[in-house]
Amino acid sequence: MRVTLLTVASCVFFLSLLQILYGLPIAINKVADLSDLWDKISNNGGTLRILVDHPDQVKFLEKFEHARCSSRRWSAFVKIDGGQRRAGVVAGTPQFEELLSVLFSSPAISVYGFYGHAGNSYASKSSSEASTFLSAEVEAVNAAAKAGLSALSLSLDRAVHQQPFVLSVGSTPTAHAASSETRASLSTSLHGVLELHAGNYPMLDLQQQHTGLINEKKIAQRVRTTVVSYYPGRGEGGEDEALIDAGAIAFSKDTGPLGGYGNVIGKGWRVGRISQEHGILTKILGSPKEETLEIGSQVEIIGQHACLIAAV
């Protein structure tokens, strides 16, 4: 099983898995810890893989390996910015060309492939829109791989790099849009092997429901909380409000196009306001005015962003 993780602590927790990708471009203060994890996972036949998007990251890995008794090559994806302007380097730019030159001449790197994540696909409102984002993802990493092949042809150590390259793409909306027909179409004329990472696909949340690609029945994520108090007529327009013992620590403060911080399952209530350890349930517009909540009762709430909810 392969899993992408964003903290060293989570890598330690999932150490029994055979393939771990540390999902941020590697930081200098994480190298020693990730090196120790690499030693441990390799004892079980596993692989620790990293992301790089800047030549300086390669340089400090080289310095680290040079100080070891026996140096190794870190298996690395090149993180590609497909227009999201988060992490990554844009294919075709001078910065990208410099990075390729450094990577394919480095004694500390084995290039595994090119990695993209269409974070902007969360704006999708239909399968066709998500498919457009998926196509753009694939085009970005494929352009990078084409340039990578040219750089590889000039390398004196071609055999130490992954061939063919792995082109890893995917976000939750684009994973939903990736039908077998779409994948087959996108796989033509690729400069590597296409891999789809599925994002938040196993859990889902209100942000994904807003895309129109899934409905509430598909959402596995829940936060169970207790109604602590009740305030008749205190809300906007004289609506009732209720207090629950779950707040920003449980839900995060992420919201979304559907509004609020989470919806109560089976009832016309949502988490309308939030503090650190408690939340305020308010009525969803159009819900029955006579519907009340009993103090001491438990409710299950679907949150806006499952990734942050699971992290806490």
Side-chain angles (χ1 to χ4, degrees), residues 79-85 87 89-90 116-117 120 136-137 140:
K79 181 67 171 70
I80 301 301
D81 177 2
Q84 299 80 31
R85 298 175 68 183
V89 60
V90 179
H117 172 70
N120 50 352
E137 263 189 307

Side-chain angles (χ1 to χ4, degrees), residues 35-214:
S35 176
D36 290 342
L37 288 172
W38 182 7
D39 289 338
K40 293 175 182 177
I41 195 172
S42 62
N43 289 335
N44 298 323
T47 301
L48 176 73
R49 193 160 286 121
I50 60 171
L51 297 176
V52 294
D53 67 357
H54 195 282
D56 285 357
Q57 296 155 359
V58 181
K59 293 174 183 177
F60 61 65
L61 287 171
E62 289 176 350
K63 184 176 180 180
F64 180 85
E65 290 301 317
H66 183 73
R68 286 172 51 91
C69 296
S70 58
S71 62
R72 310 156 299 178
R73 288 181 179 267
W74 293 70
S75 178
F77 273 113
V78 182
K79 181 67 171 70
I80 301 301
D81 177 2
Q84 299 80 31
R85 298 175 68 183
R86 301 206 294 190
V89 60
V90 179
T93 61
Q95 293 83 2
F96 175 70
E97 299 298 333
E98 179 189 2
L99 177 60
L100 287 184
S101 176
V102 170
L103 286 167
F104 286 111
S105 61
S106 174
I109 295 291
S110 169
V111 176
Y112 188 72
F114 298 86
Y115 191 99
H117 172 70
N120 50 352
S121 67
Y122 291 84
S124 302
K125 295 182 180 178
S126 67
S127 181
S128 61
E129 287 187 9
S131 294
T132 299
F133 283 110
L134 177 60
S135 297
E137 263 189 307
V138 174
E139 289 170 7
V141 295
N142 196 40
K146 182 178 180 180
L149 287 173
S150 297
L152 178 63
S153 68
L154 302 176
S155 173
L156 300 177
D157 296 309
R158 296 184 190 88
V160 302
H161 303 287
Q162 173 72 23
Q163 298 176 56
F165 293 135
V166 174
L167 311 183
S168 188
V169 300
S171 63
T172 311
T174 57
H176 282 289
S179 64
S180 57
E181 294 82 5
T182 301
R183 292 196 302 271
S185 174
L186 291 173
S187 294
T188 59
S189 303
L190 288 182
H191 302 291
V193 177
L194 186 63
E195 170 187 270
L196 184 70
H197 45 264
N200 187 18
Y201 195 98
M203 293 181 68
L204 304 177
D205 49 36
L206 291 182
Q207 290 183 356
Q208 296 307 315
Q209 185 177 337
H210 174 72
T211 67
L213 297 171
I214 58 112

Side-chain angles (χ1 to χ4, degrees), residues 288-302:
K289 187 176 180 63
E290 64 274 10
E291 184 181 62
T292 62
L293 295 171
E294 183 180 347
I295 293 176
S297 64
Q298 289 192 326
V299 292
E300 291 190 337
I301 298 172
I302 296 174

Side-chain angles (χ1 to χ4, degrees), residues 221-243:
Q221 167 256 133
R222 304 280 191 277
V223 174
R224 182 176 294 172
T225 183
T226 300
V227 178
V228 176
S229 193
Y230 196 84
Y231 311 105
R234 190 183 74 173
E236 186 175 346
E239 295 281 9
D240 295 354
E241 293 185 337
L243 180 72

